[in-house]
Every structure is written in structure tokens, then in C-alpha cells.
Amino acid sequence: MHIIYQSPKIIIREFLPEEKQTFLDLFKDNQVTQYLPDTSPDRYVEMFSELLENYKNKNLSRWAIFDPVDNGFIGMCVARTFVHNTDQIEIGYVLSREYWGKGIATEVCRALTDYSFENTKTNEVVAITDLANSGSQNVLQKVGFKRLSNLIRNEEELAYFRIERL
């Protein structure tokens, strides 16, 4: 199991095959998924298979976020090639509700941004959020992302943020 980031507050690491149900359960909470695109349970199963496959030979994937103190499952995060501009890396995260408001999203965004710049040749890391998701938008701005013009993905208008390599 490869760890991509560790601090006293969080561990970001590869999911283990036996953690499939943990991954799937994250998306059963309607409050957790309220700002995510509608996705079928079958698609989440496919996503888990894809992330395991990505670990074999790619720097980019989805990873688990755990609490290093009690090994509690915090959520998942992603760094992937951005579909709108393949020169950019898109990051994102989904946290279990019990971990909201504890600074974890900010730390995850910083860690994923650093990871993307260290492990790819990209000069730009981007993130998109639902227009109503002010919490995630505040997190991105706190980390140093700049708000750009909104973009359209799958016929939905989304807030678009970018940070450039220093």
C-alpha cells in the first residue's frame, strides 16, 4: 500500500481491495453527495475497480483518506487529467460528514496540489465545484486557487478554479 501524504491529522493512501464497501458507503449519504454529479451505484463499483487498476502504473488516481490516530475512514480524494484541458490536473475530494469543518479539506487540497506538481509536468492544477458549494469554494481560495469563469460540464454550469506552479 502506497502512502502519498501523511500528517498528524490525515493519511492519504491507496485503497486496499478489501476496502471496496468502505468506498461505496461514502456515497450513500445524501448530504455528502449533494454537490456531486448524479452517479449510479454501479458506476461507483466501476470507479473502485478503475482506481485499483490505476495504482499499477499511473501517478494519478483516487485515494483513501484515513485518520492516523484511530484509522477512521475520512473520505476519498482524486487527482486526474482534466477532461477540458489535458495539460491540467484536476483535483477533488469527498469527506464523510463527521469530518466536515475540521480543516481536513484544506489539508487534502494542499496535499493533492503539491502531489500533482511533484509527480506530473503540469503547470496548472484545477478544481471545479457546484455553484452552490461555497464551503469547497472557500477551501480552494484558502489554498491559493483563483476563481475563473464558470465552465459547463455535462450541461451543468460549475465554478472553476486554478492554481499555477510557482
Side-chain angles (χ1 to χ4, degrees):
M1 166 189 46
H2 179 70
I3 295 173
I4 70 160
Y5 176 83
Q6 185 167 1
S7 75
K9 201 181 227 180
I10 62 172
I11 295 172
I12 301 175
R13 64 162 176 80
E14 293 178 351
F15 276 98
L16 302 174
E18 59 268 23
E19 293 168 335
K20 178 179 180 179
Q21 195 58 52
T22 301
F23 175 85
L24 298 175
D25 288 347
L26 176 65
F27 301 100
K28 290 181 178 176
D29 183 329
N30 290 336
Q31 283 186 284
V32 168
T33 61
Q34 93 181 62
Y35 296 122
L36 298 178
D38 287 335
T39 304
S40 71
D42 288 342
R43 177 62 188 126
Y44 286 122
V45 171
E46 289 173 11
M47 287 167 60
F48 191 80
S49 296
E50 290 167 3
L51 69 84
L52 293 176
E53 192 62 30
N54 287 343
Y55 296 154
K56 293 180 183 172
N57 54 17
K58 294 184 181 179
N59 287 336
L60 303 176
S61 190
R62 291 177 173 87
W63 298 281
I65 309 166
F66 280 92
D67 183 326
V69 175
D70 64 7
N71 204 36
F73 179 65
I74 295 172
M76 61 79 60
C77 58
V78 61
R80 62 184 171 207
T81 302
F82 190 43
V83 297
H84 294 276
N85 180 344
T86 57
D87 291 332
Q88 297 172 325
I89 301 299
E90 177 187 7
I91 64 167
Y93 61 88
V94 180
L95 303 181
S96 298
R97 204 170 352 143
E98 65 205 73
Y99 293 97
W100 292 358
K102 298 181 178 191
I104 292 170
T106 302
E107 187 171 352
V108 168
C109 283
R110 278 193 183 107
L112 286 176
T113 300
D114 292 346
Y115 176 88
S116 296
F117 286 138
E118 291 167 9
N119 291 280
T120 73
K121 294 179 183 196
T122 191
N123 288 315
E124 298 177 335
V125 175
V126 299
I128 58 173
T129 72
D130 186 282
L131 291 177
N133 191 347
S134 59
S136 284
Q137 292 170 24
N138 291 338
V139 164
L140 290 165
Q141 290 173 324
K142 190 185 305 182
V143 172
F145 282 75
K146 303 293 182 230
R147 175 95 183 247
L148 305 174
S149 298
N150 294 346
L151 63 79
I152 306 296
R153 178 187 272 178
N154 300 327
E155 300 178 21
E156 181 181 7
E157 187 174 6
L158 300 164
Y160 180 40
F161 294 82
R162 180 183 68 210
I163 191 168
E164 296 178 348
R165 185 187 296 269
L166 296 176

